[in-house]
Structures are given as C-alpha cells and as structure tokens.
Amino acid sequence: MEIFAYTLTVKGKQPIKGIGPMEDLQSLIAQMELPSTAPPDWITANPTITGLDGSKIYIHDEGGKDEWRLRWVPFA
C-alpha cells in the first residue's frame, strides 16, 4: 500500500496536513464538502500539475473566491 503526505488548503481556513494511504486522502476530500467538487477518486486521478518528484497538485477554481488546493506526494 502506497502512503502519501498531503496538504489541503482552503481559503479562510488553516491548511490540513496528513500522511496516509490514498483512501484516507479521498475520505478527507469527501468529508470537507468542498465547493463544486468532483468525486474524490476523480480529483486524485486528474491532478492539475505533476512534479518531477512525483508530487501532484489539484487546484479548484484557480484565483476565484472558492479556490482550494490539494498537494500530495508519495511518502518514502
């Protein structure tokens, strides 16, 4: 089972950081009731940016009032 370190940043709230399997990350996305959110498995399968280090970033509504960002990276 692959483990990830992740940070979820929502405007006006403290960032949420964690470490766990993909199921934990997807569960967090579902629990947060984020605005205009696609299903959690779609979000983690379709990152906005993929880094050379394996990191992935999903940005919702870049620059808009409902913006939120999720960054996750495999944890070694």
Side-chain angles (χ1 to χ4, degrees), residues 4-10 13-20 24-25 28 32 69-72:
F4 296 88
Y6 54 85
T7 303
L8 175 63
T9 306
V10 180
K13 297 183 179 183
Q14 291 290 329
I16 298 171
K17 296 181 179 191
I19 297 173
D24 288 357
L25 176 54
L28 172 65
M32 291 296 296
R69 294 170 180 249
L70 175 65
R71 181 182 187 276
W72 66 102

Side-chain angles (χ1 to χ4, degrees), residues 13-44:
K13 297 183 179 183
Q14 291 290 329
I16 298 171
K17 296 181 179 191
I19 297 173
M22 182 57 67
E23 293 80 19
D24 288 357
L25 176 54
Q26 292 172 343
S27 178
L28 172 65
I29 295 167
Q31 290 172 12
M32 291 296 296
E33 298 180 6
L34 299 164
S36 303
T37 302
D41 58 336
W42 187 92
I43 291 170
T44 56

Side-chain angles (χ1 to χ4, degrees), residues 43-67:
I43 291 170
T44 56
N46 295 286
T48 307
I49 301 167
T50 301
L52 296 176
D53 62 353
S55 65
K56 299 182 187 308
I57 299 172
Y58 178 85
I59 302 170
H60 173 77
D61 197 22
E62 188 168 2
K65 66 179 182 174
D66 292 335
E67 181 176 302

